[in-house]
Amino acid sequence: MTADQTGPKPKPDKPRKSTGVSLFRTGHVASPQNVAPDLATGREIFSSTLPALFNPQRVWESLRPVQADIRSKSRNALFLEASDHPAAVAFDILRTRLLRGLVEKGWKRIAVTSPTHDCGKSFVATNLAFSLARRPASRTVLLDFDLRHPEIAQLLGVKDPISLGAFLAGQQPLENEFRRFGRTLALGLNTQPIEKASETLHDPDTVAALTAMIEQLDPEVVIYDLPPALVNDDLLALGPSLDAVLLVTDGTRSSPQEIRACEKLFEGRIPLLGVVLNRAQDFTAGRYRYAKN
């Protein structure tokens, strides 16, 4: 006898939600019939256990390269290559002092912030990252974490849409949203503001995503360009994922009271690695402004 085929047909399976799982994810792949809850919600890339043969170089090679007009960026006070310009030399000196401090403390995750807006922190963060990346066989990561007012993609002339928020939420894998300049600098950029920026930084998924990023890229230094410290709580929200902070002040606008307020804010929370005086011109003392006017 043949089976009765007049009964109700089984309902088709619903399409699976995109997991955003990285090609270089940590951990193992679950079988389709036994999908773990974390995989179903797109968080499997945040597993903390790396396979024995994990190779960060493969992840770096997977990042889409970006190009930049070096001459035009130099006119915008960005020094993507070695230069004898006094400001570029000042960034190289800052790089050396920063690395010395990081080695002494065993740190790698550095926030760059300022007391208020328009102090040139993004210029300092970007130039410092490029200076660090000029070291042969090094690995540096620059992250635009000024989520309300992302600027670094625009500074570098990167026009294709990039959403750092999609990576932080586990919706896209690292290699989809990060870019690479040369062989030694990875860029986590944003081309549009992220809603609920403070809540995003408080989200445990953000901490997990940043941990996975460091595992996968294995950088020597990570530079986070963060919002001004006295404007919102974003820096403090990200505090557990930071080792120290570099404060950028403006010689034409930052007041001693604002600097002291930042020092008090950091005290007992995040170590203050140093203070950079930006837009200061004292040629007799060998000091130069770091950002354009």
Side-chain angles (χ1 to χ4, degrees):
M1 295 179 61
T2 60
D4 183 6
Q5 300 181 5
T6 61
K9 296 182 179 180
K11 295 182 179 180
D13 293 338
K14 294 181 179 180
R16 292 187 184 276
K17 181 181 178 181
S18 174
T19 65
V21 175
S22 168
L23 293 175
F24 306 96
R25 62 191 179 277
T26 60
H28 64 277
V29 180
S31 59
Q33 66 271 22
N34 186 28
V35 177
D38 280 352
L39 180 59
T41 56
R43 292 169 175 78
E44 196 264 348
I45 62 170
F46 303 144
S47 170
S48 61
T49 303
L50 290 173
L53 299 179
F54 184 79
N55 183 6
Q57 186 60 37
R58 289 184 57 212
V59 187
W60 280 81
E61 292 171 353
S62 76
L63 304 182
R64 189 184 311 172
V66 295
Q67 303 294 330
D69 185 337
I70 293 173
R71 288 174 298 177
S72 68
K73 300 313 171 192
S74 180
R75 290 193 295 270
N76 288 328
L78 290 181
F79 302 97
L80 310 189
E81 288 190 340
S83 169
D84 58 1
H85 188 284
V89 172
F91 278 112
D92 289 344
I93 294 173
L94 177 62
R95 169 190 65 189
T96 301
R97 292 177 177 176
L98 176 74
L99 288 172
R100 185 179 301 141
L102 298 186
V103 170
E104 290 176 355
K105 300 290 187 179
W107 294 338
K108 70 168 58 182
R109 306 168 301 173
I110 305 303
V112 177
T113 186
S114 57
T116 57
H117 288 295
D118 301 322
C119 291
K121 65 176 181 61
S122 294
F123 280 96
V124 171
T126 304
N127 276 308
L128 178 58
F130 275 94
S131 180
L132 288 164
R134 284 196 289 273
R135 297 171 300 135
S138 63
R139 286 184 183 143
T140 301
V141 177
L142 173 62
L143 297 173
D144 192 341
F145 259 59
D146 195 341
L147 302 183
R148 296 174 178 82
H149 305 284
E151 186 178 8
I152 296 178
Q154 182 179 358
L155 293 179
L156 296 176
V158 177
K159 300 185 182 302
D160 54 320
I162 306 173
S163 175
L164 187 60
F167 166 71
L168 298 177
Q171 298 168 356
Q172 290 292 333
L174 181 148
E175 62 269 20
N176 278 12
E177 301 301 330
F178 279 60
R179 299 294 184 267
R180 175 172 51 82
F181 184 88
R183 301 184 63 84
T184 58
L185 179 60
L187 302 166
L189 306 176
N190 254 331
T191 53
Q192 60 183 3
I194 294 179
E195 295 182 1
K196 300 181 178 179
S198 182
E199 289 75 12
T200 297
L201 295 178
H202 278 286
D203 194 326
D205 281 355
T206 294
V207 177
L210 294 176
T211 300
M213 178 272 295
I214 291 176
E215 288 179 339
Q216 293 184 27
L217 293 177
D218 190 27
E220 294 172 288
V221 184
V222 183
I223 302 293
Y224 296 83
D225 178 24
L226 280 157
L230 301 181
V231 173
N232 54 54
D233 70 336
D234 288 11
L235 179 84
L236 297 182
L238 197 64
S241 297
L242 302 172
D243 292 319
V245 59
L246 190 66
L247 182 66
V248 178
T249 62
D250 187 327
T252 67
R253 65 167 60 211
S254 299
S255 68
Q257 293 79 10
E258 290 171 339
I259 297 173
R260 284 195 293 269
C262 289
E263 292 174 340
K264 185 176 180 180
L265 181 68
F266 304 150
E267 188 176 1
R269 296 183 176 94
I270 307 172
L272 178 59
L273 190 61
V275 178
V276 175
L277 181 59
N278 188 34
R279 295 193 183 101
Q281 296 190 20
D282 183 353
F283 295 98
T284 61
R287 297 175 182 173
Y288 305 91
R289 63 181 176 87
Y290 293 152
K292 68 177 183 179
N293 291 320

